[in-house]
Amino acid sequence: MWSNLKTKHYAVRERTILDLFDETRGDDFSVETAYMRFDYSKTNIDVPTRKMLITLADDAGVAARRDAMFSGKKINETEGRSVLHTALRNLDGSPVIVDGIDVMPKVLATLERLFIYANEVRQSNITDVVNIGIGGSDLGPAMAVQALSPYQNGLRCHFVSNVDGANIADVLCELDAKKTLVIVASKTFTTIETMTNARTARVWMKKNGGDTSAQFVALSSNLEKTAEFGIPPERVFGFENWVGGRYSIWGPIGLSIMLAIGSYNFRDFLRGAEEMDRHFCDAKGAANMPLMLALTGIWHRQICGFISHAVLPYDQRLVLLPSYLQQLEMESNGKSVTMDGSSLTLESGPLVWGAPGTNGQHAFYQLLHQGTTVIPCEFMIAATGHETELSHHHDLLVANCLAQSEALMRGRSLNDARALLVDKFDGPELCRQAAHRVFSGNRPSTTLMYPKLDPFTLGQIIALYEHRVFVEGVILGINSFDQWGVELGKELAMALQPIVIGKQTADTKDSSTKSLVAYLHRQRI
Ligand code: F6P
């Protein structure tokens, strides 16, 4: 099927997206559920291509692999683990069996404990919460707290992730240690950045009159290490190793979100994801939103060869979503070895980046419209904003979002550019000026539209993207749930630390590292 798709791509290379349009394409190439609409009509996918892409997914065994994931089979084969972030939002509690044991009673009991604890904190004298974590133990909560700020009442949440002391210093300097709760969020409880920041926060709290025995909480699956750090078991919220770091927002790692928006709203967030899980399992073929989002991804990256895609939320509160999706997609599908250890002969997952509109329009959209590289764009927009008194802002936001996808598709011909300038210029100057105003067009984009950015919808969006990544991983035949590629740098950093502080020489290092270390030491004298 791969070669059929490549042949098809070659055959339609001269055809424009606009050529595909008729009155019904907008509906025919969209998936609409009761809760949102995903439009992929502004891509070069036609009916036969879609059919081939769906066959590709069928042949790869996406449905069987999906069922294996949901039922607790150990599909993370390189780590011998189940992949069950979906169990964390399985609110109806139907059994999920791992090693002969139903994990649901424990999952629901932990959720209840978290809700009780979050309510207690929300009623205490605590005013500020500092979540210390990195990667999956930071990006999800930081993104969601910001996304759901209209639902926040009371507690202010801050996030410290970088081992750069500037991060924690800037956060702590504004806080009252007696009224601050520190959450140490780390699945492994060994991550050097997080543990360094946690120790710094503990020193700060002690020095400034806080009570470290009462004001530290741990979210982790390593209970030995949380005890070693001195956090009492009643303030440790554990989770199992079948929850991957970048998929962990739904359980204990989501504590800061619960503290910010309350347990009622957090439950709604889980319900949204649960609803998307149901849709992913039940909807068939072209009616399945995560499947179609994934297949547009495969079409663009592996067939058309576009190296990246841009995530463009027209929603200022989703400012951190591109970073969140960067980890979700790139840490999951940035692999060059297939499940059986052989080399991946296709391209791995794409480079993911982006920023909210309309700000991006005034920064990097120039390249999206006129650069030599085609970058498929994934737009997102709510039908209504929260600021009802500012609905004219939202109308403008929507108009901009729709205009960008239209402009990317339509472009502007040389003739049209000349017609715009003919009153101002003539002769060679008209040609020269017009050339700069040509847009090639035919640049693909998709648009996700939802009623409003509420907890339920955010849960849906994140689960949609999780399943997209899953489907793409299955089609590529890779393991989307390990991340060995982050290990080498960590090991080398540990080895370099004594060299940086001058306890060891850099003799074994390459001449670049050696010279940089020498320069560093000269600057520090
Ligand atoms: O270094 C990568 C990683 O392992 C991510 O997968 C993870 O989200 C992050 O580090 C943080 O890990 P932990 O929660 O164990 O501190």
Side-chain angles (χ1 to χ4, degrees):
M1 196 45 70
W2 287 109
S3 59
N4 291 354
L5 279 159
K6 293 217 163 154
T7 307
K8 169 76 188 190
H9 175 237
Y10 188 76
V12 300
R13 69 193 184 286
E14 302 292 340
R15 181 187 67 189
T16 67
I17 299 171
L18 215 47
D19 286 343
L20 287 169
F21 265 83
D22 59 17
E23 272 313 297
T24 61
R25 181 169 169 86
D27 285 337
D28 294 346
F29 287 78
S30 290
V31 188
E32 187 173 319
T33 67
Y35 307 102
M36 52 175 68
R37 180 180 172 100
F38 170 63
D39 180 322
Y40 59 99
S41 62
K42 293 188 185 96
T43 67
N44 208 340
I45 296 175
D46 57 14
V47 172
T49 306
R50 176 168 65 191
K51 210 163 162 215
M52 279 189 254
L53 286 166
I54 292 173
T55 305
L56 183 75
D58 289 345
D59 292 352
V62 167
R65 200 80 183 160
R66 175 199 65 205
D67 295 346
M69 174 173 77
F70 275 88
S71 65
K73 301 271 176 340
K74 300 200 171 168
I75 65 162
N76 175 355
E77 293 173 17
T78 56
E79 296 181 312
R81 293 175 185 169
S82 306
V83 174
L84 277 177
H85 46 282
T86 50
L88 300 179
R89 58 215 192 200
N90 175 25
L91 292 176
D92 78 6
S94 52
V96 178
I97 310 294
V98 177
D99 293 330
I101 294 168
D102 178 12
V103 300
M104 284 317 300
K106 202 166 164 193
V107 165
L108 295 178
T110 303
L111 186 62
E112 230 16 73
R113 263 186 75 215
L114 283 159
F115 284 163
I116 292 169
Y117 180 70
N119 286 339
E120 271 171 29
V121 176
R122 279 161 64 88
Q123 281 156 25
S124 73
N125 70 336
I126 295 291
T127 55
D128 291 85
V129 175
V130 179
N131 185 88
I132 297 179
I134 197 164
S137 300
D138 165 73
L139 289 165
M143 178 271 292
V145 165
Q146 172 124 14
L148 300 175
S149 62
Y151 298 85
Q152 279 182 43
N153 49 0
L155 291 174
R156 286 182 295 263
C157 290
H158 313 266
F159 293 87
V160 172
S161 52
N162 201 322
V163 76
D164 182 345
N167 194 179
I168 193 159
D170 286 354
V171 168
L172 296 184
C173 72
E174 307 224 315
L175 303 182
D176 178 349
K178 297 191 188 96
K179 294 184 180 171
T180 298
L181 179 75
V182 174
I183 299 175
V184 186
S186 174
K187 179 177 167 182
T188 55
F189 231 71
T190 55
T191 304
I192 191 81
E193 293 94 329
T194 301
M195 299 324 297
T196 305
N197 279 322
R199 283 188 287 272
T200 299
R202 190 165 55 183
V203 169
W204 166 82
M205 190 171 276
K206 273 192 188 139
K207 201 166 137 199
N208 291 284
D211 179 358
T212 52
S213 62
Q215 290 167 242
F216 265 70
V217 191
L219 316 173
S220 181
S221 53
N222 190 341
L223 305 188
E224 222 172 90
K225 291 278 178 200
T226 58
E228 226 172 74
F229 190 84
I231 300 184
E234 64 275 16
R235 277 199 311 288
V236 176
F237 297 92
F239 53 101
E240 306 295 327
N241 68 13
W242 38 253
V243 180
R246 54 194 172 276
Y247 298 88
S248 61
I249 190 173
W250 316 103
I253 293 294
L255 177 62
S256 53
I257 313 170
M258 296 177 213
L259 288 165
I261 66 172
S263 43
Y264 176 84
N265 287 319
F266 191 82
R267 207 179 270 281
D268 247 9
F269 172 64
L270 297 183
R271 277 199 320 107
E274 189 185 30
E275 180 60 39
M276 184 53 74
D277 292 345
R278 255 193 298 273
H279 167 82
F280 180 46
C281 292
D282 296 345
K284 300 276 174 268
N288 191 304
M289 198 181 285
L291 179 71
M292 294 319 298
L293 178 58
L295 293 177
T296 58
I298 293 281
W299 171 250
H300 287 147
R301 178 70 192 108
Q302 280 75 25
I303 305 297
C304 302
F306 304 139
I307 195 167
S308 84
H309 67 239
V311 176
L312 307 170
Y314 274 64
D315 203 320
Q316 184 57 29
R317 293 194 176 103
L318 288 179
V319 62
L320 297 177
L321 187 71
S323 305
Y324 175 79
L325 293 181
Q326 218 163 41
Q327 186 197 15
L328 183 65
E329 301 196 33
M330 294 171 74
E331 199 167 81
S332 297
N333 288 343
K335 318 269 164 75
S336 47
V337 170
T338 60
M339 207 58 118
D340 65 8
S342 57
S343 293
L344 182 67
T345 51
L346 302 152
E347 294 293 349
S348 62
L351 162 64
V352 178
W353 61 284
T358 56
N359 291 14
Q361 291 177 203
H362 300 272
F364 55 81
Y365 278 42
Q366 165 65 42
L367 185 145
L368 297 181
H369 287 287
Q370 288 189 316
T372 51
T373 305
V374 174
I375 299 174
C377 295
E378 301 192 351
F379 294 99
M380 292 181 196
I381 179 98
T384 53
H386 284 276
E387 290 64 34
T388 43
E389 72 289 1
L390 299 175
S391 61
H392 60 294
H393 283 243
H394 202 77
D395 295 341
L396 211 46
L397 189 70
V398 176
N400 270 278
C401 181
L402 296 176
Q404 290 300 325
S405 64
E406 191 185 345
L408 285 165
M409 175 173 70
R410 280 188 191 283
R412 178 186 285 149
S413 67
L414 183 60
N415 274 349
D416 288 349
R418 288 168 68 99
L420 284 175
L421 297 171
V422 80
D423 292 342
K424 270 189 173 167
F425 305 105
D426 56 16
E429 188 57 9
L430 175 60
C431 294
R432 193 171 77 87
Q433 290 289 345
H436 290 271
R437 289 157 174 84
V438 170
F439 293 65
S440 66
N442 202 27
R443 298 187 175 215
S445 70
T446 60
T447 302
L448 182 70
M449 196 178 274
Y450 40 89
K452 194 178 198 169
L453 188 63
D454 55 19
F456 182 86
T457 303
L458 184 67
Q460 289 237 321
I461 294 173
I462 302 173
L464 167 67
Y465 271 86
E466 284 178 350
H467 294 322
R468 179 256 188 103
V469 167
F470 169 80
V471 171
E472 290 187 2
V474 175
I475 292 175
L476 296 178
I478 58 178
N479 182 3
S480 300
F481 300 102
D482 59 14
Q483 56 283 319
W484 300 108
V486 300
E487 294 304 322
L488 181 58
K490 287 186 193 172
E491 282 164 30
L492 294 181
M494 293 312 286
L496 268 158
Q497 208 212 2
I499 297 174
V500 167
I501 60 175
K503 280 205 166 152
Q504 272 177 26
T505 69
D507 289 352
T508 57
K509 297 291 171 188
D510 56 82
S511 62
S512 159
T513 308
K514 249 191 252 176
S515 304
L516 286 167
V517 169
Y519 179 82
L520 173 90
H521 290 161
R522 285 200 302 278
Q523 297 309 308
R524 285 183 168 184
I525 290 166

Coordinates of all heavy atoms in Angstrom, one line a residue, residues 436-482:
H436 N 7.2 39.7 -5.9 CA 7.3 39.6 -4.4 C 5.9 39.3 -3.8 O 5.8 39.0 -2.6 CB 7.8 40.9 -3.8 CG 9.3 41.0 -4.2 ND1 10.3 40.5 -3.4 CD2 9.9 41.6 -5.2 CE1 11.5 40.8 -3.9 NE2 11.3 41.5 -5.1
R437 N 4.8 39.6 -4.5 CA 3.5 39.5 -4.0 C 2.7 38.2 -4.4 O 1.5 38.1 -4.2 CB 2.7 40.8 -4.3 CG 3.2 42.0 -3.5 CD 2.8 43.3 -4.2 NE 3.2 44.5 -3.5 CZ 4.4 45.0 -3.4 NH1 5.4 44.5 -4.1 NH2 4.6 46.1 -2.7
V438 N 3.5 37.3 -5.0 CA 2.9 36.1 -5.5 C 2.9 35.1 -4.3 O 3.9 35.0 -3.6 CB 3.7 35.5 -6.7 CG1 3.2 34.1 -7.0 CG2 3.5 36.4 -7.9
F439 N 1.8 34.4 -4.2 CA 1.7 33.3 -3.2 C 1.4 32.0 -4.0 O 0.5 31.9 -4.7 CB 0.5 33.5 -2.2 CG 0.6 34.7 -1.3 CD1 0.7 36.0 -1.8 CD2 0.7 34.5 0.1 CE1 0.8 37.0 -0.9 CE2 0.8 35.5 0.9 CZ 0.8 36.8 0.4
S440 N 2.3 31.0 -3.8 CA 2.1 29.8 -4.6 C 0.8 29.1 -4.3 O 0.2 28.4 -5.1 CB 3.3 28.8 -4.4 OG 3.2 28.4 -3.0
G441 N 0.3 29.2 -3.0 CA -0.9 28.5 -2.6 C -0.7 27.0 -2.6 O 0.5 26.6 -2.6
N442 N -1.8 26.3 -2.6 CA -1.7 24.8 -2.6 C -1.0 24.3 -1.4 O -0.3 23.3 -1.5 CB -1.0 24.4 -3.9 CG -1.4 23.0 -4.2 OD1 -2.5 22.5 -3.8 ND2 -0.6 22.3 -4.9
R443 N -1.1 25.0 -0.3 CA -0.4 24.6 0.9 C -1.4 24.0 1.9 O -2.4 24.7 2.2 CB 0.4 25.8 1.6 CG 1.4 26.2 0.6 CD 2.4 27.3 1.1 NE 3.4 27.5 0.1 CZ 4.6 27.8 0.3 NH1 5.1 27.9 1.5 NH2 5.5 27.9 -0.7
P444 N -1.3 22.8 2.3 CA -2.3 22.1 3.0 C -2.5 22.5 4.5 O -1.5 22.9 5.1 CB -1.9 20.6 3.0 CG -0.4 20.7 2.8 CD -0.1 21.9 2.1
S445 N -3.7 22.4 4.9 CA -4.0 22.7 6.3 C -5.2 21.9 6.8 O -6.0 21.5 5.9 CB -4.2 24.2 6.6 OG -5.5 24.6 6.0
T446 N -5.3 21.7 8.1 CA -6.6 21.1 8.7 C -7.1 22.1 9.7 O -6.3 22.9 10.2 CB -6.3 19.8 9.3 OG1 -5.3 20.0 10.4 CG2 -5.7 18.7 8.3
T447 N -8.4 22.0 10.0 CA -8.9 22.9 11.0 C -9.8 22.0 12.0 O -10.7 21.3 11.6 CB -9.8 24.0 10.4 OG1 -9.0 24.7 9.5 CG2 -10.4 24.9 11.5
L448 N -9.5 22.2 13.3 CA -10.3 21.6 14.3 C -11.1 22.7 15.0 O -10.5 23.7 15.5 CB -9.4 20.9 15.4 CG -10.0 20.2 16.5 CD1 -10.7 18.9 16.0 CD2 -9.1 19.9 17.7
M449 N -12.4 22.5 14.9 CA -13.3 23.6 15.5 C -14.1 22.9 16.6 O -14.6 21.8 16.5 CB -14.2 24.2 14.5 CG -14.8 25.5 15.0 SD -15.8 26.3 13.7 CE -14.6 27.3 12.8
Y450 N -14.2 23.6 17.8 CA -15.0 23.1 18.9 C -15.8 24.2 19.5 O -15.5 25.4 19.3 CB -14.0 22.5 20.0 CG -12.8 23.4 20.2 CD1 -12.7 24.4 21.1 CD2 -11.6 23.2 19.4 CE1 -11.6 25.2 21.2 CE2 -10.5 24.0 19.5 CZ -10.5 25.0 20.4 OH -9.4 25.8 20.6
P451 N -16.8 23.9 20.3 CA -17.7 24.9 20.7 C -17.1 26.0 21.6 O -17.2 27.2 21.4 CB -18.8 24.2 21.6 CG -18.7 22.7 21.1 CD -17.3 22.5 20.7
K452 N -16.3 25.5 22.6 CA -15.7 26.5 23.6 C -14.6 25.7 24.3 O -14.7 24.5 24.5 CB -16.8 26.8 24.6 CG -16.5 28.0 25.5 CD -17.7 28.3 26.4 CE -17.6 29.6 26.9 NZ -18.8 30.0 27.6
L453 N -13.5 26.4 24.7 CA -12.4 25.7 25.4 C -12.8 25.5 26.9 O -12.4 26.3 27.7 CB -11.1 26.5 25.2 CG -9.9 25.7 25.8 CD1 -9.6 24.4 25.0 CD2 -8.6 26.6 25.7
D454 N -13.5 24.4 27.1 CA -13.9 24.1 28.5 C -13.1 22.8 28.9 O -12.5 22.2 28.1 CB -15.4 24.0 28.7 CG -16.0 23.0 27.7 OD1 -15.2 22.1 27.2 OD2 -17.2 23.0 27.5
P455 N -13.2 22.4 30.2 CA -12.5 21.2 30.6 C -12.8 20.0 29.7 O -11.9 19.2 29.3 CB -12.9 21.0 32.0 CG -13.2 22.3 32.5 CD -13.9 23.0 31.3
F456 N -14.1 19.7 29.4 CA -14.5 18.6 28.6 C -13.8 18.6 27.2 O -13.3 17.6 26.8 CB -16.0 18.6 28.5 CG -16.6 17.5 27.7 CD1 -16.9 16.3 28.4 CD2 -16.8 17.6 26.4 CE1 -17.4 15.2 27.7 CE2 -17.4 16.5 25.7 CZ -17.7 15.3 26.3
T457 N -13.8 19.8 26.6 CA -13.3 19.9 25.3 C -11.8 19.8 25.3 O -11.2 19.1 24.4 CB -13.6 21.3 24.7 OG1 -15.0 21.4 24.7 CG2 -13.1 21.5 23.3
L458 N -11.1 20.3 26.3 CA -9.6 20.2 26.4 C -9.3 18.7 26.5 O -8.4 18.2 25.9 CB -9.1 20.9 27.6 CG -7.5 20.9 27.6 CD1 -6.9 21.6 26.5 CD2 -7.0 21.5 29.0
G459 N -10.1 18.0 27.4 CA -9.8 16.5 27.5 C -10.0 15.8 26.2 O -9.2 14.9 25.8
Q460 N -11.0 16.2 25.4 CA -11.2 15.7 24.1 C -10.0 15.9 23.1 O -9.5 15.0 22.4 CB -12.4 16.3 23.4 CG -13.7 15.9 24.0 CD -14.6 15.3 23.0 OE1 -14.7 15.7 21.9 NE2 -15.3 14.2 23.4
I461 N -9.5 17.2 23.1 CA -8.4 17.6 22.2 C -7.2 16.7 22.5 O -6.5 16.2 21.7 CB -8.1 19.1 22.3 CG1 -9.3 19.9 21.8 CG2 -6.9 19.4 21.5 CD1 -9.2 21.4 22.0
I462 N -6.8 16.6 23.8 CA -5.6 15.9 24.2 C -5.7 14.4 23.8 O -4.8 13.9 23.2 CB -5.3 16.1 25.7 CG1 -5.1 17.6 26.0 CG2 -4.0 15.4 26.0 CD1 -4.9 17.9 27.5
A463 N -6.9 13.9 24.2 CA -7.1 12.4 23.8 C -7.0 12.2 22.3 O -6.5 11.2 21.8 CB -8.3 11.9 24.4
L464 N -7.6 13.2 21.6 CA -7.6 13.1 20.1 C -6.1 13.0 19.6 O -5.8 12.1 18.8 CB -8.3 14.3 19.5 CG -8.1 14.6 18.0 CD1 -8.8 13.5 17.2 CD2 -8.7 16.0 17.7
Y465 N -5.3 13.9 20.1 CA -3.9 13.9 19.7 C -3.1 12.6 20.2 O -2.3 12.1 19.5 CB -3.2 15.2 20.1 CG -3.3 16.2 19.0 CD1 -4.5 17.0 19.0 CD2 -2.4 16.4 18.0 CE1 -4.6 18.0 18.0 CE2 -2.5 17.3 17.0 CZ -3.7 18.1 17.0 OH -3.8 19.0 16.0
E466 N -3.4 12.2 21.4 CA -2.8 10.9 21.9 C -3.1 9.8 20.9 O -2.2 9.0 20.6 CB -3.3 10.6 23.3 CG -2.8 11.4 24.4 CD -3.4 11.0 25.8 OE1 -4.3 10.2 25.8 OE2 -2.9 11.5 26.8
H467 N -4.3 9.7 20.5 CA -4.7 8.6 19.6 C -4.1 8.7 18.2 O -3.8 7.8 17.6 CB -6.2 8.4 19.6 CG -6.8 8.0 20.9 ND1 -6.1 7.1 21.8 CD2 -7.9 8.3 21.6 CE1 -6.8 6.9 22.9 NE2 -7.9 7.6 22.8
R468 N -4.0 10.0 17.8 CA -3.4 10.3 16.5 C -1.9 9.7 16.5 O -1.5 9.1 15.6 CB -3.4 11.8 16.3 CG -2.8 12.3 15.1 CD -1.4 12.9 15.2 NE -1.1 13.5 13.9 CZ -1.2 14.7 13.6 NH1 -1.5 15.6 14.5 NH2 -1.0 15.1 12.4
V469 N -1.2 10.0 17.6 CA 0.2 9.6 17.7 C 0.2 8.1 17.8 O 1.1 7.4 17.1 CB 0.8 10.2 19.0 CG1 2.1 9.5 19.4 CG2 1.0 11.7 18.9
F470 N -0.7 7.5 18.5 CA -0.8 6.0 18.6 C -1.0 5.4 17.2 O -0.2 4.5 16.8 CB -1.9 5.6 19.5 CG -2.3 4.2 19.5 CD1 -1.5 3.3 20.2 CD2 -3.3 3.7 18.7 CE1 -1.8 1.9 20.2 CE2 -3.6 2.3 18.6 CZ -2.8 1.4 19.4
V471 N -1.9 5.9 16.4 CA -2.2 5.3 15.1 C -1.0 5.5 14.2 O -0.6 4.5 13.5 CB -3.5 6.0 14.4 CG1 -3.6 5.6 13.0 CG2 -4.7 5.7 15.2
E472 N -0.4 6.7 14.2 CA 0.8 6.9 13.3 C 1.9 5.9 13.7 O 2.6 5.3 12.9 CB 1.3 8.3 13.4 CG 0.3 9.3 12.8 CD 0.8 10.7 12.7 OE1 2.0 11.0 13.1 OE2 0.1 11.6 12.2
G473 N 2.1 5.7 15.0 CA 3.1 4.8 15.5 C 2.9 3.4 15.0 O 3.8 2.7 14.6
V474 N 1.6 2.9 15.1 CA 1.3 1.5 14.7 C 1.5 1.4 13.2 O 2.1 0.4 12.7 CB -0.2 1.2 15.0 CG1 -0.6 -0.2 14.4 CG2 -0.5 1.2 16.5
I475 N 1.1 2.4 12.4 CA 1.3 2.4 11.0 C 2.8 2.3 10.6 O 3.2 1.6 9.7 CB 0.6 3.5 10.2 CG1 -0.9 3.4 10.4 CG2 1.0 3.6 8.8 CD1 -1.7 4.5 9.8
L476 N 3.6 3.0 11.4 CA 5.1 3.0 11.1 C 5.7 1.7 11.7 O 6.9 1.4 11.4 CB 5.7 4.2 11.7 CG 5.3 5.6 11.1 CD1 6.0 6.7 11.9 CD2 5.6 5.7 9.7
G477 N 5.0 1.0 12.6 CA 5.6 -0.2 13.1 C 6.6 0.1 14.2 O 7.5 -0.7 14.5
I478 N 6.5 1.3 14.9 CA 7.4 1.6 15.9 C 6.8 1.5 17.3 O 5.6 1.5 17.4 CB 8.0 3.0 15.7 CG1 6.9 4.1 15.7 CG2 8.8 3.1 14.4 CD1 7.5 5.5 15.5
N479 N 7.6 1.6 18.4 CA 7.0 1.6 19.7 C 6.9 3.1 20.1 O 7.9 3.8 20.4 CB 8.0 0.9 20.7 CG 7.4 0.9 22.1 OD1 6.3 1.4 22.3 ND2 8.1 0.3 23.0
S480 N 5.7 3.6 20.2 CA 5.5 5.0 20.5 C 5.6 5.3 22.0 O 5.4 6.4 22.5 CB 4.1 5.5 20.1 OG 3.9 5.3 18.7
F481 N 5.9 4.3 22.8 CA 5.8 4.5 24.3 C 7.1 4.3 25.0 O 7.1 4.4 26.3 CB 4.7 3.5 24.8 CG 3.4 3.7 24.2 CD1 2.9 2.9 23.2 CD2 2.6 4.9 24.6 CE1 1.7 3.2 22.6 CE2 1.4 5.2 23.9 CZ 0.9 4.3 22.9
D482 N 8.2 4.2 24.3 CA 9.5 4.3 25.1 C 10.2 5.6 24.6 O 9.6 6.4 23.8 CB 10.4 3.1 24.8 CG 10.7 2.9 23.3 OD1 10.5 3.8 22.5 OD2 11.2 1.8 23.0

